[in-house]
Amino acid sequence: MPEYLLSARSIAKRFGPTNVLRGFDLSIARGEVHAFLGGNGAGKSTFIKIVSGQHERDDGAIEFEGKAIGTSIASDVDLGAIAVVNQELALLPHLSVAENIAMPRLRHGMQTYNSRLARAMAVDALSLIDPQFADRSVGRLVGDLTLHERQLVEIARALGSGAKLLLLDEPTANLTAAETARLFAVVRRLVADSGLAVLFVSHRMREIRQVADVCTIIRDGKTAVDRARIESISDREIVEHMGQSAAMDDPAHTAGALGSHTRSGARRTPASERADLPKLSVRRAGIHIDVEPGMILGLAGAPTGPSALIETLTGLAARGEWELSRGGKPLRYATTAAAARDGVGFISGDRAEKGILHSLSILDNLSAAERVVRRRYVARQAEAAHAAHLLKALDIRVGSLSDLPATLSGGTQQKLLVARWLALDPQLLVLEEPTRGVDIRTKREIYGLVRQLAERGCAIVWWSTEYWELVELCDAVLAFDLGGEPTRVLQRAEIDESTLADATGMAA
């Protein structure tokens, strides 16, 4: 029987009337990578926050290193023994990379901050994953980094902490395939050399197979599978235990969920009847592609290239190297609001910082895009009825429209971001890693919604680091190399994972 570093039994956690964890069990042994699997809203992030001291449990027992732990782990476990990478990053944007990595190690109130030592710590930690990034970023403010770069900093901080238990909640969601491979190599080395225990959350089956030894599956706040060896359980069995087998079998089961009517009851026009919409032309460095109404264009490659194009398309960057035109007329947006009013929707991959409005209600979040486009700054009574219709059509379950988004799982929050644009019939919708950190069922629901928008004539630009996703969805893919330069446009018949890997210089 393995020696358990952490043992949790009959864990319960309630938020108001909602029981998130209902007698959940999980044990983690030293020297293992333990995959923690379940659908969005099953309770994974809540359990991780209990183990990392961010929440107190309501019931149940936890032992760490054989010692019984009180209601709050933080009061009974050394702060350096457990390190966590949350799904929503927990960095301080006004501090430098070095300060963010070094500060958690200053555990005594009178300890002096040494900038030279902090820099050395940060370089060592970042070099575990990307030595080049370590050299060029250690002195920069975290607030100036891209989401992708901040993810690297968060992971490096955890890896370099010297912790005995490492909690990784969707750590690879913003990483390239090469960075993911380096991360897994570091994790496996630390596990083998130091007996580190790792609890790893991911919705990517390939990654789970690459790095995990055992898995525990949570469903509706209870243990569905306890410590199964990864090689002894199939992908289909995992999905079935998560309660998501229907989503695995039906790629587009939500297509048409909203019917063919706008909120006013007028019939929506399918793409074939919106041929009068102008096409969007995109040019740079000898690369040219026309994005037709109803077309889904994928972006593949390291973050630098896709991000630059997305910033130009959505008004995040007033200047850029890309030349845009619509209907033969040059196109340039000074702000994201200007782009939105011209029919350009945008769903950021940075759900926490640039997507969800955390201090506003679910109703305000659903209505945000329309208020900007229509220049309406006062809530209208009709918004609540329309929001209720959207929530029902998309199977988004909330306690109340006045609740905050924090009451919803990460995957459900992502569906809210898509729902914002459904009533507006945008001419172009730009999506940046829209299925980051969401389960199989929610991925399929988002695919169905995006296909539905395309059928209505909306052109889609979709950036994903998951090549199979681009293969499944896209009519064409614009590929970028590791330096961010566009290399080629792949048409439907050419799109497969091998070709995408060749065109981008990144493993599939």
Side-chain angles (χ1 to χ4, degrees):
M1 183 175 180
E3 177 187 359
Y4 292 134
L5 176 69
L6 177 91
S7 179
R9 290 288 175 262
S10 302
I11 303 301
K13 181 64 181 178
R14 295 176 293 277
F15 294 98
T18 304
N19 291 313
V20 179
L21 297 176
R22 301 185 292 168
F24 176 66
D25 301 334
L26 186 144
S27 296
I28 309 169
R30 301 176 191 271
E32 75 176 9
V33 179
H34 192 128
F36 185 22
L37 311 176
N40 289 120
K44 301 185 301 299
S45 293
T46 297
F47 179 76
I48 284 177
K49 288 178 180 178
I50 289 173
V51 173
S52 60
Q54 299 170 69
H55 288 330
E56 294 185 358
R57 66 188 185 276
D58 294 324
D59 203 356
I62 295 179
E63 290 186 358
F64 187 78
E65 295 188 303
K67 175 185 175 183
I69 303 301
T71 304
S72 174
I73 283 186
S75 62
D76 292 327
V77 176
D78 176 67
L79 290 176
I82 299 175
V84 59
V85 174
N86 289 304
Q87 189 176 126
E88 307 299 349
L89 304 185
L91 299 171
L92 299 174
H94 61 287
L95 297 182
S96 71
V97 170
E99 289 166 337
N100 268 274
I101 291 176
M103 281 295 186
R105 305 191 201 184
L106 303 179
R107 297 169 192 146
H108 307 292
M110 299 302 291
Q111 202 165 347
T112 303
Y113 177 78
N114 184 316
S115 59
R116 183 176 296 179
L117 179 60
R119 183 181 180 88
M121 286 180 180
V123 169
D124 288 346
L126 287 167
S127 294
L128 290 171
I129 304 176
D130 190 338
Q132 291 183 339
F133 176 64
D135 290 337
R136 71 174 185 266
S137 68
V138 68
R140 295 172 62 192
L141 290 180
V142 163
D144 294 335
L145 302 179
T146 66
L147 175 63
H148 165 83
E149 292 169 331
R150 294 200 301 274
Q151 184 86 58
L152 291 177
V153 173
E154 180 97 346
I155 292 170
R157 180 170 68 178
L159 290 175
S161 67
K164 298 174 183 178
L165 173 61
L166 185 60
L167 309 172
L168 300 177
D169 191 356
E170 296 285 353
T172 63
N174 303 303
L175 302 188
T176 65
E179 287 161 346
T180 297
R182 287 198 293 271
L183 169 62
F184 287 170
V186 172
V187 167
R188 296 302 318 181
R189 186 173 73 246
L190 291 173
V191 166
D193 294 348
S194 67
L196 175 72
V198 178
L199 187 65
F200 175 66
V201 175
S202 177
H203 292 295
R204 299 174 177 178
M205 293 296 182
R206 181 182 299 177
E207 292 183 354
I208 294 163
R209 299 284 177 197
Q210 286 176 323
V211 75
D213 303 302
V214 300
C215 73
T216 290
I217 302 175
I218 184 173
R219 180 174 178 179
D220 296 328
K222 297 180 180 179
T223 305
V225 172
D226 186 18
R227 292 189 57 81
R229 297 294 304 179
I230 283 295
E231 64 270 18
S232 72
I233 188 168
S234 69
D235 289 357
R236 179 165 290 279
E237 287 172 325
I238 288 173
V239 171
E240 287 174 350
H241 283 300
M242 289 167 57
Q244 301 199 333
S245 56
M248 193 175 192
D249 293 331
D250 186 359
H253 72 280
T254 57
L258 297 180
S260 59
H261 294 80
T262 64
R263 69 189 286 175
S264 64
R267 181 173 170 273
R268 286 193 184 273
T269 309
S272 61
E273 296 177 30
R274 295 183 68 181
D276 59 323
L277 288 177
K279 65 185 177 185
L280 172 70
S281 292
V282 179
R283 297 177 183 271
R284 180 188 166 193
I287 296 290
H288 172 226
I289 183 167
D290 289 330
V291 186
E292 304 279 355
M295 177 179 175
I296 301 179
L297 172 67
L299 306 181
T304 306
S307 293
L309 175 55
I310 287 171
E311 288 175 354
T312 305
L313 286 170
T314 60
L316 286 168
R319 299 179 177 229
E321 297 182 18
W322 287 94
E323 297 178 13
L324 308 179
S325 63
R326 181 185 283 163
K329 298 179 180 179
L331 197 63
R332 182 73 65 186
Y333 301 116
T335 65
T336 54
R341 289 176 185 131
D342 198 37
V344 179
F346 175 49
I347 298 175
S348 170
D350 192 350
R351 182 171 62 228
E353 295 294 328
K354 299 177 182 177
I356 291 295
L357 305 171
H358 296 279
S359 62
L360 298 181
S361 69
I362 291 170
L363 173 59
D364 290 329
N365 270 271
L366 281 169
S367 305
E370 184 182 21
R371 290 177 187 173
V372 170
V373 170
R374 311 291 188 213
R375 289 184 170 90
R376 289 174 181 153
Y377 305 110
V378 178
R380 298 183 306 148
Q381 188 173 359
E383 286 181 352
H386 177 57
H389 168 70
L390 276 177
L391 294 177
K392 182 178 179 180
L394 301 183
D395 193 25
I396 299 175
R397 300 174 188 178
V398 304
S400 167
L401 285 172
S402 61
D403 287 347
L404 294 178
T407 60
L408 307 176
S409 70
T412 304
Q413 290 180 22
Q414 197 70 23
K415 287 168 69 176
L416 282 184
L417 298 182
V418 178
R420 278 182 186 169
W421 296 99
L422 291 179
L424 294 176
D425 272 343
Q427 293 186 33
L428 173 67
L429 182 62
V430 181
L431 302 106
E432 186 179 60
E433 293 279 20
T435 61
R436 179 176 71 90
V438 304
D439 60 31
I440 292 172
R441 180 180 298 278
T442 307
K443 284 180 191 283
R444 296 298 183 185
E445 289 172 342
I446 291 174
Y447 298 162
L449 294 172
V450 168
R451 288 189 179 108
Q452 187 180 13
L453 281 168
E455 288 167 2
R456 295 172 180 170
C458 178
I460 307 291
V461 174
W462 179 298
W463 174 33
S464 176
T465 53
E466 296 192 66
Y467 288 167
W468 67 267
E469 196 166 64
L470 299 177
V471 172
E472 177 170 326
L473 284 169
C474 297
D475 302 304
V477 174
L478 175 57
F480 296 83
D481 64 21
L482 295 176
E485 295 297 318
T487 58
R488 59 184 293 196
V489 176
L490 304 175
Q491 301 300 329
R492 175 72 259 177
E494 304 173 279
I495 304 173
D496 59 51
E497 293 189 49
S498 177
T499 306
L500 287 171
D502 289 342
T504 61
M506 293 168 50

